[in-house]
Amino acid sequence: MANNYSKPDFWSKKAFSEGYPARSVYKLEEIDQKFSLIKKKTCALDLGASPGSWTIFLLRNLGENGRVVACDLNPLSKKVRAGNLCFVQGDLNDAEIREKIRSEGPFDLVVCDAAPMTTGNRTVDTARSEQLVEMAIWYAEQMLKSGGNFVVKIFQNGDQQQVLKKMREIFESAKGFKPKACRSESFETYLVGISRK
């Protein structure tokens, strides 16, 4: 089945015109508008950050006295530059990378828009997405300050409720949310953890 992802849609055109490398920024913007997760002068961790749209959005919204630590296997877009940005390139499951990130924390916000390499097999792709979600939750559990917030992308399937149940043990509340900026044919959604216990 051919997809039309290569054809720029409204969100892609808007992203490029506003200086973001990808349309995904509007998902974070919508999540923040609904849940008020991003606070000025705080420190945020962006997991799976490349090409860097969420990183730019965080930098713009945290202000000069805020800080962003971003990590990905791939480099960030050349557009993503700031004195209050620390970029760590590497595998988020690598012990050395985990320690490097830990040394930059603790964090007020952890966000993860990472997507697995998709195969087209929904079962395989969903399982891979779940592994990324588990990894992101580990970071939130280990490195978020008390009262901190969390956002993670997940592919929709039957286990979403289990993940939310686990998140409710860590956060005061946890909810699923699908931003309008998600493509209609996409089966991704987001889980939001509010106020780390």
Side-chain angles (χ1 to χ4, degrees):
M1 183 181 84
N3 70 37
N4 45 2
Y5 281 19
S6 55
K7 191 168 177 254
D9 63 0
F10 166 79
W11 298 106
S12 301
K13 289 173 186 162
K14 183 170 157 68
F16 299 140
S17 74
E18 293 181 4
Y20 293 105
R23 66 196 294 290
S24 58
V25 62
Y26 302 109
K27 299 169 193 175
L28 181 58
E29 181 180 58
E30 211 178 315
I31 292 164
D32 186 50
Q33 282 167 354
K34 184 162 176 67
F35 298 102
S36 304
L37 305 176
I38 301 170
K39 313 275 187 249
K40 290 270 184 213
K41 303 180 186 175
T42 60
C43 188
L45 173 60
D46 186 359
L47 304 169
S50 182
S53 286
W54 280 31
T55 305
I56 294 173
F57 185 79
L58 289 166
L59 287 164
R60 287 180 182 178
N61 286 276
L62 292 171
E64 284 175 20
N65 297 317
R67 217 166 137 263
V68 178
V69 177
C71 183
D72 201 290
L73 279 170
N74 302 306
L76 294 176
S77 159
K78 289 183 172 53
K79 292 178 185 177
V80 192
R81 293 280 175 270
N84 53 345
L85 168 65
C86 167
F87 177 62
V88 179
Q89 189 165 350
D91 186 338
L92 286 159
N93 292 306
D94 185 295
E96 208 173 302
I97 296 293
R98 285 183 171 190
E99 284 316 304
K100 190 164 173 44
I101 293 170
R102 191 193 295 276
S103 73
E104 298 290 338
F107 303 97
D108 302 281
L109 174 66
V110 173
V111 299
C112 180
D113 193 38
M117 294 296 286
T118 51
T119 61
N121 177 323
R122 189 158 173 172
T123 309
V124 172
D125 294 345
T126 300
R128 287 183 179 179
S129 166
E130 269 175 43
Q131 288 167 347
L132 287 173
V133 171
E134 281 168 24
M135 177 269 303
I137 290 173
W138 182 88
Y139 274 93
E141 238 178 327
Q142 298 291 319
M143 301 184 198
L144 258 184
K145 290 179 190 170
S146 175
N149 299 316
F150 175 62
V151 178
V152 64
K153 173 160 67 186
I154 187 172
F155 287 174
Q156 290 167 298
N157 74 332
D159 285 347
Q160 192 178 319
Q161 292 311 314
Q162 281 301 108
V163 177
L164 281 169
K165 193 175 163 189
K166 178 170 184 180
M167 284 173 61
R168 287 185 185 116
E169 293 168 12
I170 306 166
F171 297 93
E172 295 295 344
S173 73
K175 299 177 168 117
F177 179 67
K178 181 155 184 162
K180 291 188 191 76
C182 290
R183 296 180 193 270
S184 54
E185 67 272 29
S186 164
F187 58 101
E188 68 181 18
T189 190
Y190 290 82
L191 304 180
V192 180
I194 299 155
S195 190
R196 169 95 165 84
K197 289 180 183 173

